[in-house]
Amino acid sequence: SGFPSFLKNGLSKLGISSEILEFLFKWADGHEVNPKIPEAKGAFSAIRGEAFFIPLYELFLTYGGIFRLTFGPKSFLIVSDPSIAKHILRDNSKAYSKGILAEILEFVMGTGLIPADGEIWRVRRRAIVPALHQKYVAAMINLFGQATDRLCKKLDDAASDGEDVEMESLFSRLTLDIIGKAVFNYEFDSLTNDTGIVEAVYTVLREAEDRSVAPIPLWEIPIWKDISPRQKKVTAALKLINDILDDLIAICKRMVDEEELQFHEEYMNEHDPSILHFLLASGDDVSSKQLRDDLMTMLIAGHETSAAVLTWTFYLLSKEPSVVSKLQNEVDSVLGDRFPTIEDMKKLKYTTRVINESLRLYPQPPVLIRRSLENDKLGKYPIKRGEDIFISVWNLHRSPNHWDDADKFNPERWPLDGPNPNETNQNFSYLPFGGGPRKCVGDMFASFETVVAVAMLVRQFNFQMALGAPKVVMTTGATIHTTEGLKMTVTRRTKPPIMPILKEDASASISKGDTQ
Ligand code: HEM
């Protein structure tokens, strides 16, 4: 390593003094052999109360694409550089585990696909990915449409009554209804009912989020579980959900035993297209605990994320009426008054760009968590095993090095005739669904789900921030939430009647154009 000797000779022939050369080469060697990761010491006092990825953005601008953040005995590497992210997530992914994330989520996801590592992850990933095949995703478009239609009915009532609506909680219920049906054929019906099970799901979700931002892991104290009223509530909620999952698994097993369908690659039971049904029919050899962990993982993964995407999309749209008009034009011309189908997904190009851009500005989750399992090198810096790493997708997606006008919501930055942006064609500067072997298994599902919901909602209504609505401020759990909800006023769209374009009309307008 160090400066090659031919360079040294060359420079000395140019008449540069030997002292200066010695100094230069020592400096270069020192920096090449053991460069130290920049440290942002004690700079993190403002963490509480504010979404923690916000101060990380300022530190990224000061310290660069990788820096160390130390507070107390804890230390983290914060990565905001696309090539280092690519190295960790894709090129050397086997050297990294989920680390803290797995520790925090253990109580709810066990060894489900998101926290799992090593052999368990490999086996489960191989079993689950085939379940989300093309035919399954196509069938889901119908489900997205029906669930969104129920939300539309609710909004229509609110529009009649002149009542404002809190969209964040409605989106949360919409995506819960969808994912319950899609993953294990369960009707939460949370848009119309508040059942014990719905409340239990929210209790568990809030707990997972609180744990992920808690400074002290109180729940690790053995008797805490038994005396804290809150922990007792969490334990009861988990039991309720697990019992229901066990029932659903048993019911589904009976269905599979009785059916005559032959299992094949694009297997799907029309009456129950759920992922659970596919897994059981595939003869997947799995313990019921592991199956439950995987179902719970997909329930949470597919619920919070999609709800957050819809929430922030509608927030962004409320500030850009011109984007809404373009959206409505596209939706009117592609869908008219129909329910969307899989064929429409290719045609709703601008709607898709709106989702792409919303995912850039509000990535869910805003950081990815890893731990190094062996010594490695990140960029020019050697690192030891056992380092906790946050890859800030937020920083990657708003990096001034990569994006023009990075903070602007501008769906036009993605050309309509260009490829659908993803981590590969954006070289890890854009990774809405992660990348490498642990990339989201529900990316297609989620893209179509959010496109269908946005299309159907803007087709029927106009949305505005409600008068006197609380200011929209971000807070963090696993995904980005608002602090006080997204309060909006919904009004029915008054569409001009759809006029059939007749031949005569077309020629008339052309000749009119000619005379002008
Ligand atoms: C993983 C985002 C919807 C299931 C991931 C990861 C991201 C992500 C960024 C990578 C995590 C990491 O590398 O640490 C999203 C977003 C969604 C969404 C933004 C909605 C817009 C869904 C849905 C499902 C799902 C609907 C289920 C049907 C999963 C699973 C993993 C995962 C199982 C873990 C994969 C593995 O580790 O092998 N998701 N997701 N996601 N997602 Fe999604």
Side-chain angles (χ1 to χ4, degrees), residues 51 53 167-168 171 304-319 354-355 357-364 366 394 398 409 450 454 465 471-476 479-486 488:
F53 53 87
M167 293 304 293
E168 187 172 31
F171 284 139
E304 289 273 273
T305 45
S306 301
V309 172
L310 288 171
T311 300
W312 293 105
T313 302
F314 276 76
Y315 170 70
L316 289 165
L317 289 174
S318 76
K319 298 191 295 183
V354 166
I355 297 295
E357 182 69 346
S358 168
L359 273 165
R360 185 181 68 80
L361 285 170
Y362 295 93
Q364 313 292 348
W394 176 276
R398 291 183 183 238
F409 174 55
T450 47
V454 167
M465 292 304 293
K471 191 163 180 276
V472 177
V473 176
M474 289 182 285
T475 180
T476 342
T479 55
I480 311 172
H481 293 277
T482 71
T483 48
E484 294 177 80
L486 182 68
M488 301 191 103

Side-chain angles (χ1 to χ4, degrees), residues 405-416:
D405 231 343
D407 290 340
K408 184 164 168 44
F409 174 55
N410 178 22
E412 280 71 17
R413 75 172 72 239
W414 313 105
L416 285 189

Side-chain angles (χ1 to χ4, degrees), residues 34-39 66-68 77 378 381-383 387:
N34 234 343
K36 234 177 145 260
I37 296 178
E39 279 198 46
I66 176 165
F67 62 89
R68 183 182 296 285
L77 296 179
L378 297 182
Y381 303 110
I383 64 155
E387 291 277 15

Side-chain angles (χ1 to χ4, degrees), residues 342-493:
I342 185 78
E343 285 75 36
D344 296 321
M345 296 302 105
K346 292 192 283 293
K347 297 181 196 147
L348 291 169
K349 286 186 179 179
Y350 189 69
T351 316
T352 306
R353 293 295 173 256
V354 166
I355 297 295
N356 297 146
E357 182 69 346
S358 168
L359 273 165
R360 185 181 68 80
L361 285 170
Y362 295 93
Q364 313 292 348
V367 296
L368 301 178
I369 300 176
R370 293 292 188 277
R371 181 176 291 153
S372 57
L373 295 169
E374 47 192 73
N375 297 351
D376 194 13
K377 201 168 173 201
L378 297 182
K380 59 184 175 191
Y381 303 110
I383 64 155
K384 295 247 177 296
R385 69 170 285 183
E387 291 277 15
D388 283 313
I389 301 169
F390 285 6
I391 298 170
S392 173
V393 183
W394 176 276
N395 288 354
L396 287 164
H397 284 191
R398 291 183 183 238
S399 167
N401 307 331
H402 189 78
W403 307 95
D404 293 332
D405 231 343
D407 290 340
K408 184 164 168 44
F409 174 55
N410 178 22
E412 280 71 17
R413 75 172 72 239
W414 313 105
L416 285 189
D417 52 3
N420 203 35
N422 60 34
E423 77 287 2
T424 307
N425 61 34
Q426 301 298 308
N427 211 4
F428 280 70
S429 285
Y430 178 71
L431 38 156
F433 294 104
R438 305 218 57 163
K439 185 175 175 177
C440 182
V441 303
D443 57 342
M444 189 82 107
F445 180 110
S447 301
F448 292 166
E449 176 188 23
T450 47
V451 163
V452 167
V454 167
M456 288 177 68
L457 288 166
V458 302
R459 168 170 72 183
Q460 206 172 332
F461 304 102
N462 285 311
F463 294 82
Q464 279 174 294
M465 292 304 293
L467 232 72
K471 191 163 180 276
V472 177
V473 176
M474 289 182 285
T475 180
T476 342
T479 55
I480 311 172
H481 293 277
T482 71
T483 48
E484 294 177 80
L486 182 68
K487 195 102 191 228
M488 301 191 103
T489 304
V490 192
T491 46
R492 285 190 200 101
R493 243 182 103 202

Side-chain angles (χ1 to χ4, degrees), residues 72-333:
K74 288 191 188 169
S75 150
F76 298 90
L77 296 179
I78 312 297
V79 170
S80 319
D81 176 283
S83 65
I84 299 180
K86 191 201 300 179
H87 176 83
I88 296 171
L89 295 174
R90 196 187 72 188
D91 299 340
N92 199 22
S93 64
K94 63 167 197 337
Y96 295 87
S97 73
K98 290 288 180 111
I100 307 173
L101 187 85
E103 288 160 15
I104 291 170
L105 293 178
E106 205 278 332
F107 83 104
V108 48
M109 294 187 186
T111 56
L113 199 55
I114 286 186
D117 282 309
E119 189 60 11
I120 296 184
W121 168 76
R122 210 181 53 76
V123 170
R124 296 313 297 154
R125 173 112 188 168
R126 213 180 257 177
I128 290 168
V129 166
L132 288 107
H133 54 68
Q134 290 252 313
K135 200 172 143 199
Y136 168 79
V137 174
M140 289 299 110
I141 306 286
N142 238 330
L143 170 64
F144 304 154
Q146 283 158 8
T148 308
D149 193 48
R150 287 203 297 277
L151 175 57
C152 286
K153 297 228 162 73
K154 221 177 153 100
L155 294 178
D156 198 59
D157 291 345
S160 301
D161 299 346
E163 268 179 24
D164 293 338
V165 282
E166 203 286 278
M167 293 304 293
E168 187 172 31
S169 61
L170 289 175
F171 284 139
S172 175
R173 284 158 186 272
L174 171 69
T175 59
L176 179 62
D177 285 359
I178 289 174
I179 203 75
K181 195 84 182 132
V183 174
F184 37 73
N185 196 29
Y186 185 74
E187 215 56 89
F188 280 105
D189 206 9
S190 68
L191 276 168
T192 32
N193 283 317
D194 250 322
T195 54
I197 175 74
V198 171
E199 204 198 313
V201 169
Y202 285 112
T203 302
V204 169
L205 282 175
R206 290 293 88 77
E207 178 69 12
E209 298 210 321
D210 287 351
R211 287 188 184 194
S212 63
V213 292
I216 305 166
L218 281 176
W219 59 89
E220 281 177 7
I221 303 168
I223 55 164
W224 191 256
K225 271 211 300 289
D226 308 318
I227 56 170
S228 149
R230 178 166 158 171
Q231 291 306 314
K232 280 204 252 180
K233 195 173 165 201
V234 172
T235 310
L238 274 174
K239 174 151 180 8
L240 182 64
I241 299 171
N242 282 337
D243 288 349
I244 289 186
L245 287 180
D246 284 340
D247 285 350
L248 291 170
I249 293 170
I251 293 169
C252 191
K253 273 205 174 111
R254 279 201 297 277
M255 279 172 78
V256 168
D257 286 345
E258 283 161 18
E259 79 190 7
E260 315 230 305
L261 274 171
Q262 199 63 31
F263 186 80
H264 59 101
E265 218 170 70
E266 290 223 307
Y267 165 93
M268 195 177 78
N269 181 308
E270 304 286 336
H271 304 291
D272 171 11
S274 72
I275 293 177
L276 171 61
H277 201 112
F278 180 97
L279 291 175
L280 291 175
S282 73
D284 183 20
D285 177 27
V286 62
S287 73
S288 53
K289 162 83 168 73
Q290 180 65 45
L291 187 53
R292 233 171 43 200
D293 286 349
D294 286 325
L295 297 178
M296 189 75 123
T297 298
M298 283 185 274
L299 173 70
I300 295 177
H303 164 44
E304 289 273 273
T305 45
S306 301
V309 172
L310 288 171
T311 300
W312 293 105
T313 302
F314 276 76
Y315 170 70
L316 289 165
L317 289 174
S318 76
K319 298 191 295 183
E320 293 292 343
S322 64
V323 175
V324 179
S325 309
K326 279 180 83 169
L327 254 183
Q328 289 174 328
N329 282 341
E330 178 178 88
V331 174
D332 288 345
S333 76

